Amino acid sequence: MGFAEGLEHVVRENEPLAPYTRLRIGGPAEFFAEPTSVEELAELVRRARSEDLPIRLLGGGTNLLVRDEGVPGVVISLAAPAFCHLETTADGLRSGGGTKLTHLIATAVREGFAGPEQLVGIPGTVGGALHANSGTHGGDIGQWCRSATVLTRGGEVVRREADDLSFSYRQSSLNELVILSADFVFEREPSETLTRRMQKLWIVKQSRQPSVGERSAYVFRDPVGVTATSLIEQVGLKGTKVGAVELCERDPNFVVANDRATSSDVLRLIDLVRSRVEDGTGIELTQNLQVW
Ligand SMILES: Cc1cc2nc3c(=O)[nH]c(=O)nc-3n(C[C@H](O)[C@H](O)[C@H](O)COP(=O)(O)OP(=O)(O)OC[C@H]3O[C@@H](n4cnc5c(N)ncnc54)[C@H](O)[C@@H]3O)c2cc1C
């Protein structure tokens, strides 16, 4: 039986991945699957395992660089409605892994749940944010997560409770193949207060990151006690360009891709920044951007 047999309605072969990423760069996936249910997802994982095909999970594609040659195996997207739900609970929200983070933030603010307004301006999905414990200087998403349901690489659905979860700076113990859904608990604050706080934070964030339409990616984690941005500025790299990719004027810890940009332009620029920062400051930067 071929990998896609009987699942042709959700699997495409040789699908270009560039349109699914914020950088809009990179080659195709050997197989690209958009399952419509957990059962279909589990079946895809089971088949990929039995055929020894690598499996990758795609969220919003905002923290991904896909290589120009593309990726072997299966890329799974959680864009179907079954994975993009969001419900209000007594003390918080229950979200699908594929739900847009902006949807969770807006709903929390409207319902008077405090905390997520600090994440305003972070693109991508709830699953992607939990995978990396994404956040800002105001707070990271993991602190509000009380449980999560995941699909393991073995194809098993498992619920992980709070005492089994740990989050630290851009790191999370939620490292299974798929974060299917998560429960969040928040303190309460008046919706009007949260709206005002979110609007202020959004104005600041907008002035410090590439604009919404730009093809961009956030590159390095902040080392302890200093920002990656300040180190890149310190060694005079602001505005540096390689091929059709440049460091963002507003914040050089973002790369911005222009027409005809390639994945290898991005990789060469990242290498240049890493080595110049290390030579100039002695600090080795850790990459946040995932490369496929
Ligand atoms: C303009 C801009 C601003 C940004 N600002 C911030 C910021 O302030 N703070 C910050 O932390 N980051 C920031 N980022 C980085 C990025 O947006 C976050 O890391 C985001 O949480 C990634 O989510 P995603 O859904 O796009 O993940 P993707 O890019 O699709 O995937 C990233 C990784 O997460 C995994 N993943 C995605 N979904 C799931 C899932 N459901 N289950 C298991 N694994 C999954 C993928 O396999 C991959 O390894 C910014 C990026 C941009 C472009």
Side-chain angles (χ1 to χ4, degrees):
M1 183 169 75
F3 173 74
E5 203 177 310
L7 289 171
E8 292 85 356
H9 58 298
V10 291
V11 179
R12 293 193 286 280
E13 266 182 72
N14 230 8
E15 174 81 352
L17 288 175
Y20 297 96
T21 70
R22 176 90 169 205
L23 280 167
R24 298 204 287 283
I25 291 179
E30 186 180 356
F31 295 103
F32 182 82
E34 281 181 318
T36 59
S37 64
V38 175
E39 293 70 33
E40 268 178 4
L41 171 64
E43 173 63 11
L44 286 160
V45 171
R46 196 192 58 71
R47 287 191 193 185
R49 268 169 59 86
S50 75
E51 296 192 21
D52 247 348
L53 292 170
I55 314 174
R56 293 178 171 83
L57 207 287
L58 174 74
T62 68
N63 198 31
L64 282 181
L65 172 65
V66 178
R67 288 181 196 275
D68 299 322
E69 58 270 31
V71 295
V74 191
V75 170
I76 296 178
S77 160
L78 294 189
F83 306 103
C84 299
H85 55 92
L86 186 69
E87 297 94 44
T88 304
T89 59
D91 50 5
L93 295 171
R94 174 168 303 144
S95 171
T99 303
K100 295 241 180 306
L101 185 62
T102 48
H103 185 27
L104 181 140
I105 296 167
T107 306
V109 166
R110 194 189 63 224
E111 296 291 329
F113 291 131
E117 77 283 356
Q118 298 165 57
L119 306 178
V120 68
I122 305 180
T125 61
V126 172
L130 280 170
H131 174 83
N133 191 24
S134 297
T136 61
H137 295 296
D140 302 332
I141 190 167
Q143 66 187 293
W144 302 293
C145 181
R146 291 297 171 270
S147 67
T149 304
V150 298
L151 184 81
T152 65
R153 285 180 174 74
E156 203 189 344
V157 175
V158 174
R159 190 174 152 91
R160 294 189 53 189
E161 301 295 342
D163 55 2
D164 182 31
L165 298 175
S166 63
F167 297 95
S168 55
Y169 175 67
R170 301 300 161 263
Q171 281 182 333
S172 147
S173 63
L174 277 171
N175 49 12
E176 283 86 2
L177 180 63
V178 188
I179 299 164
L180 291 168
S181 65
D183 280 290
F184 297 93
V185 170
F186 307 106
E187 300 284 311
R188 284 205 168 266
E189 265 189 69
S191 178
E192 304 72 47
T193 311
L194 298 175
T195 304
R196 274 196 300 277
R197 195 181 300 148
M198 181 178 70
Q199 285 167 340
K200 279 190 193 153
L201 290 167
W202 177 225
I203 290 166
V204 174
K205 187 113 166 80
Q206 258 182 320
S207 68
R208 294 187 185 157
Q209 69 181 28
S211 54
V212 173
E214 275 183 300
R215 299 163 55 187
S216 60
Y218 169 80
V219 185
F220 296 107
R221 296 179 187 162
D222 289 336
V224 179
V226 63
T227 64
T229 301
S230 64
L231 294 173
I232 299 167
E233 282 172 347
Q234 194 182 317
V235 296
L237 285 175
K238 208 170 173 179
T240 301
K241 211 170 171 175
V242 168
V245 179
E246 61 195 305
L247 299 183
C248 175
E249 273 297 324
R250 291 179 187 168
D251 180 341
N253 193 25
F254 286 92
V255 288
V256 176
N258 299 304
D259 284 350
R260 289 190 295 279
T262 63
S263 169
S264 72
D265 289 343
V266 180
L267 290 170
R268 280 189 295 137
L269 182 54
I270 290 175
D271 279 348
L272 174 78
V273 173
R274 198 196 325 264
S275 63
R276 290 279 290 276
V277 167
E278 191 170 2
D279 292 348
T281 68
I283 296 175
E284 201 181 326
L285 290 173
T286 304
Q287 199 169 308
N288 194 57
L289 181 64
Q290 312 263 301
V291 181
W292 281 5

